[in-house]
Amino acid sequence: MFFRRSLRLPIALVTYVVAALDRGVRPKMARAIREADHVVGNSRYVSQTVEGRFGITADTIYDGIKREVFYPSLEGRQPQSKLIVLYAGSFQAGKRVNVVIREAAKWPAVEFRLAGKGEEEGKNRSLVSELGCRNVTFLGHLSQPELADEMRKADVFLFPSVSEGHPQVLGQAASCGLPAVAMDFYRPEYVVHGETGYLVKSESEISDALGVLLSDHDLRLRMSAAAARHALQFDWDRVTRDWETAFLEAVSKRRRKH
């Protein structure tokens, strides 16, 4: 950015914002947004926070989903001896894996599977022991194909994280036909409240939504089918075309400035 400005180089700059800007902005990020020829957010909410903080209109381009990896089970969701709740993400404080474990303590007949690694893993394992949960399995870090397999086997995706921009894992779960319970704070568009899962505002609402899904087989099936349909709009082919348009627009703006 320094040489582009000081030497007046005709280089177009596109800035992609992947975190909501309602909690402060680092100086380098602010500069990248102000000097960009085109600004893009990875969700409508993220784009709105760009406009609210900087007065700059940002387009929205979603993170794409690899549908050759994340796809629904070809056999459909089969009845299982045990229902499965899946969490996938890092083990950090803001992800609140402890909330998933506390829900596991309330549902001893349901299997809770936790995919990921991180600094809070030790505390999470200690909490499992403290609560006497025999229904929690730590899966460790998974490759994308391994994670997709877990999503196809699960019945509900539980994601209580409050530290997000627009988490792609929710889109991957939807693409596998997995109903989700997630937080509404960052307004994820991979989940349609009441249709493909539930967006909630508190831990008590997490418990309520999870209870509804675990108790209603037909509802899970309906939301599973709706989630898979909803995820089609996040296909990489569509996202790639959106990026092509964004780059061309940025180049056009830069040329007009020169």
Side-chain angles (χ1 to χ4, degrees):
M1 287 190 291
F2 171 77
F3 285 109
R4 184 178 84 134
R5 185 174 56 186
S6 60
L7 300 180
R8 304 182 68 79
L9 297 175
I11 298 173
L13 173 63
V14 176
T15 297
Y16 191 38
V17 184
V18 298
L21 305 184
D22 49 5
R23 298 185 183 180
V25 185
R26 296 189 304 272
K28 286 185 179 179
M29 182 184 293
R31 182 180 175 189
I33 292 171
R34 289 192 179 100
E35 295 190 19
D37 297 289
H38 197 61
V39 181
V40 179
N42 70 341
S43 74
R44 287 197 293 264
Y45 178 61
V46 168
S47 298
Q48 287 167 8
T49 64
V50 172
E51 184 167 3
R53 183 165 289 269
F54 293 95
I56 295 172
T57 300
D59 282 347
T60 299
I61 300 179
Y62 304 101
D63 293 323
I65 300 169
K66 296 177 68 173
R67 293 186 56 241
E68 68 273 20
V69 176
F70 296 96
Y71 54 85
S73 172
L74 300 179
E75 295 82 25
R77 296 203 167 267
Q78 303 298 317
Q80 304 176 97
S81 57
K82 262 194 174 185
L83 293 175
I84 297 174
V85 174
L86 176 67
Y87 164 84
S90 62
F91 285 45
Q92 298 174 6
K95 301 292 186 177
R96 303 201 305 166
V97 182
N98 61 307
V99 174
V100 181
I101 295 169
R102 293 187 188 281
E103 289 300 320
K106 301 174 186 177
W107 295 88
V110 176
E111 184 178 356
F112 284 71
R113 296 171 70 78
L114 314 180
K117 302 285 286 186
E119 59 194 26
E120 294 279 312
E121 184 175 345
K123 291 182 180 179
N124 296 145
R125 288 182 178 274
S126 295
L127 182 60
V128 168
S129 299
E130 176 188 329
L131 297 177
C133 297
R134 298 179 179 274
N135 58 333
V136 175
T137 301
F138 289 83
L139 301 173
H141 175 74
L142 300 180
S143 66
Q144 288 202 338
E146 290 170 336
L147 175 58
D149 285 340
E150 289 288 338
M151 288 177 168
R152 281 186 284 273
K153 289 187 292 186
D155 297 283
V156 179
F157 189 67
L158 180 55
F159 194 69
S161 174
V162 293
S163 178
E164 299 295 335
H166 195 226
Q168 192 177 31
V169 70
L170 287 175
Q172 293 165 342
S175 192
C176 289
L178 184 55
V181 177
M183 305 307 294
D184 186 47
F185 301 139
Y186 45 89
R187 303 176 197 174
E189 294 171 59
Y190 294 128
V191 181
V192 181
H193 179 69
E195 294 183 21
T196 72
Y198 295 104
L199 297 174
V200 300
K201 301 182 185 301
S202 66
E203 288 186 30
S204 63
E205 289 187 10
I206 287 176
S207 292
D208 292 343
L210 183 62
V212 169
L213 280 169
L214 291 176
S215 303
D216 193 330
H217 173 72
D218 291 338
L219 176 64
R220 291 196 305 274
L221 289 181
R222 289 197 302 272
M223 286 193 167
S224 172
R229 289 194 301 270
H230 177 64
L232 294 175
Q233 66 182 295
F234 306 112
D235 184 86
W236 265 116
D237 288 342
R238 179 172 178 173
V239 171
T240 302
R241 291 193 295 271
D242 290 341
W243 275 116
E244 180 182 15
T245 300
F247 292 147
L248 290 173
E249 186 170 335
V251 169
S252 176
K253 289 179 181 177
R254 175 52 44 178
R255 285 175 175 167
R256 289 198 296 270
K257 291 178 182 178
H258 282 262

